[in-house]
Amino acid sequence: AQSVTQLGSHVSVSEGALVLLRCNYSSSVPPYLFWYVQYPNQGLQLLLKYTTGATLVKGINGFEAEFKKSETSFHLTKPSAHMSDAAEYFCAVSEGQGGKLIFGQGTELSVKP
Amino acid sequence: NAGVTQTPKFRVLKTGQSMTLLCAQDMNHEYMYWYRQDPGMGLRLIHYSVGEGTTAKGEVPDGYNVSRLKKQNFLLGLESAAPSQTSVYFCASSYSIDRGLRNTEAFFGQGTRLTVV
């Protein structure tokens, strides 16, 4: 069965600092991997996704993630945090094309001035 | 392009009452999902559908029923609401066969905040 583990329910960084949000997955077949962001009282929107091909994926708002099969990881990074990045971030996995999405527990990112 | 629309946005129910949450998508997606979001638990899959007329159980299906009579709609029913069903419910859809691999992401509605008292 698929599963996703996000390490750290809360992460706090200073504005301008590196953002690193960790995600590890379990899947019996090559996975499709996603990062979503949720701003307060809103739905989820896609930051980036990995399906096939290049393992370093760039998304919106300066975020990127690298798929590492050997480590079963898909960590999200941003070189320089901005106050507007404060939100909750969810990692998700699906097993192949059209598979159901399974989410991690979420990581709340706080950005200090 | 409306995307995914959930109705209603807010609702307060008394224990034992029933209600139906409606989800509509206009992207010709094959897959539709219902999730519930609770603090510290992320999004948990309640039920999902891989096509018109089909439904399947997710991680937390007890106390809920669903129907997908039309491709664009996915209904979530609570037959006898309980306080444990107080949550924020999200509908999502994904995967258009005609767009193949480029369209595997899920699109989400704005959520329904349900309180059962």
Side-chain angles (χ1 to χ4, degrees):
Chain A
Q2 309 163 84
S3 66
V4 176
T5 302
Q6 291 183 236
L7 298 177
S9 58
H10 292 91
V11 170
S12 182
V13 301
S14 297
E15 192 172 20
L18 171 71
V19 175
L20 171 60
L21 304 182
R22 300 178 186 273
C23 172
N24 288 90
Y25 69 91
S26 172
S27 178
S28 59
V29 298
Y32 286 13
L33 295 159
F34 306 83
W35 275 99
Y36 285 83
V37 61
Q38 183 182 33
Y39 299 102
N41 299 312
Q42 294 189 25
L44 280 72
Q45 64 182 83
L46 183 72
L47 272 179
L48 49 80
K49 65 181 178 182
Y50 169 79
T51 54
T52 59
T55 57
L56 181 62
V57 180
K58 295 186 184 300
I60 61 171
N61 301 336
F63 285 93
E64 63 181 37
E66 185 171 11
F67 170 59
K68 292 187 176 180
K69 183 178 178 180
S70 62
E71 298 178 7
T72 60
S73 68
F74 191 57
H75 302 329
L76 181 70
T77 60
K78 182 174 180 177
S80 177
H82 191 273
M83 296 296 290
S84 61
D85 294 328
E88 189 153 22
Y89 292 79
F90 293 93
C91 182
V93 64
S94 72
E95 287 186 340
Q97 180 172 308
K100 65 180 187 289
L101 273 175
I102 301 298
F103 284 83
Q105 310 91 307
T107 298
E108 185 175 356
L109 176 66
S110 301
V111 182
K112 300 175 291 186
Chain B
N1 189 348
V4 179
T5 303
Q6 291 183 233
T7 310
K9 290 183 172 49
F10 302 93
R11 186 74 185 268
V12 178
L13 284 181
K14 293 183 179 179
T15 296
Q17 286 185 319
S18 64
M19 78 164 294
T20 300
L21 282 68
L22 172 64
C23 177
Q25 54 96 3
D26 61 2
M27 296 171 281
N28 199 34
H29 283 164
E30 301 299 321
Y31 282 44
M32 296 187 74
Y33 315 81
W34 277 107
Y35 294 90
R36 59 177 291 172
Q37 183 179 26
D38 302 291
M41 305 191 75
L43 278 80
R44 292 181 292 169
L45 184 63
I46 305 172
H47 286 278
Y48 65 104
S49 167
V50 300
E52 181 178 318
T54 73
T55 63
K57 294 181 180 180
E59 181 186 356
V60 289
D62 293 343
Y64 305 95
N65 57 76
V66 289
S67 64
R68 183 118 180 253
L69 299 179
K70 293 182 178 181
K71 185 177 182 178
Q72 64 267 33
N73 296 335
F74 195 30
L75 278 64
L76 178 71
L78 286 72
E79 292 184 347
S80 179
S84 61
Q85 294 178 304
T86 293
S87 186
V88 181
Y89 292 86
F90 285 100
C91 176
S93 70
S94 71
Y95 186 48
S96 292
I97 292 174
D98 57 340
R99 295 187 64 183
L101 290 174
R102 295 177 298 167
N103 196 30
T104 55
E105 69 182 89
F107 291 81
F108 282 80
Q110 291 298 298
T112 296
R113 189 172 296 273
L114 175 66
T115 302
V116 183
V117 298

